[in-house]
Amino acid sequence: MRLPIKAIANQVIDKPGVMVLSLGCNYALISFATIKAVTLEVVMTLIIVAESAPLQANEDGVILVGKTRVTLDTVVAVFHQGATAEEITYRYPSLNLADVYATIAFYLKHQSEVDAYLQKRRQQSQEIRKMNQGRFDPQGLRDRLLSRRTEQEVC
């Protein structure tokens, strides 16, 4: 969609033949013979493009923000802690500020879906943690390390 933006700029010429025209943050140098004042109308076009959220799933199904390894889980958790988009990019320098704003906007628009995804990720995390604790008993590991240590002290 294109929206016309009209900008009118008036500038009095202080020396004959040269005019510096200020139009927002753009400047134009215009040459004239002997003109005292000029009114210029410029019509610019603003193109509004709907961009998709900068989110992509990796091979494990984990949603990452932008082209980084920072997860959607992380950005949403820090956002819930009260961090602004600027603070999030400060904490995670690999993130782009625009991507963080877009991710927060996506979260706010699709909060129920994202919350369901985050709950599913928490459940998966708990299942993996239990499975790993069953396979690698932390108490057994501690006992083995202590016995090695005493054996090394004896030698």
Side-chain angles (χ1 to χ4, degrees):
M1 177 167 53
R2 294 175 182 260
L3 298 176
I5 299 173
K6 290 189 176 184
I8 308 289
N10 293 312
Q11 176 71 37
V12 177
I13 303 170
D14 37 355
K15 42 185 183 166
V18 178
M19 176 179 83
V20 176
L21 177 66
S22 172
L23 181 62
C25 56
N26 299 319
Y27 294 91
L29 183 62
I30 302 173
S31 290
F32 294 100
T34 53
I35 299 177
K36 301 258 186 215
V38 173
T39 299
L40 175 67
E41 182 176 333
V42 178
V43 178
M44 297 180 288
T45 304
L46 175 65
I47 300 172
I48 299 175
V49 179
E51 294 186 16
S52 61
L55 302 172
Q56 53 191 344
N58 68 7
E59 61 276 354
D60 297 323
V62 177
I63 298 177
L64 305 175
V65 178
K67 296 180 180 179
T68 69
R69 294 186 301 174
V70 179
T71 64
L72 175 62
D73 311 40
T74 302
V75 172
V76 171
V78 175
F79 177 69
H80 275 293
Q81 293 171 359
T84 64
E86 288 80 5
E87 291 170 335
I88 294 170
T89 55
Y90 180 75
R91 291 183 193 180
Y92 303 95
S94 62
L95 289 174
N96 178 311
L97 183 60
D99 288 348
V100 173
Y101 272 114
T103 301
I104 293 170
F106 178 83
Y107 170 68
L108 294 173
K109 286 182 183 177
H110 305 282
Q111 196 164 359
S112 60
E113 294 95 336
V114 173
D115 286 341
Y117 162 78
L118 295 175
Q119 181 61 32
K120 180 182 164 190
R121 291 263 300 140
R122 280 192 286 277
Q123 288 173 349
Q124 288 174 339
S125 174
Q126 289 173 354
E127 291 170 7
I128 291 170
R129 187 174 294 117
K130 286 179 185 177
M131 186 175 63
N132 285 337
Q133 286 176 349
R135 287 180 24 199
F136 307 106
D137 180 28
Q139 185 60 39
L141 176 63
R142 183 176 188 279
D143 293 339
R144 287 192 307 266
L145 290 173
L146 287 174
S147 68
R148 273 192 209 159
R149 186 169 161 195
T150 55
E151 287 174 11
Q152 289 176 353
E153 288 175 357
V154 171
C155 297

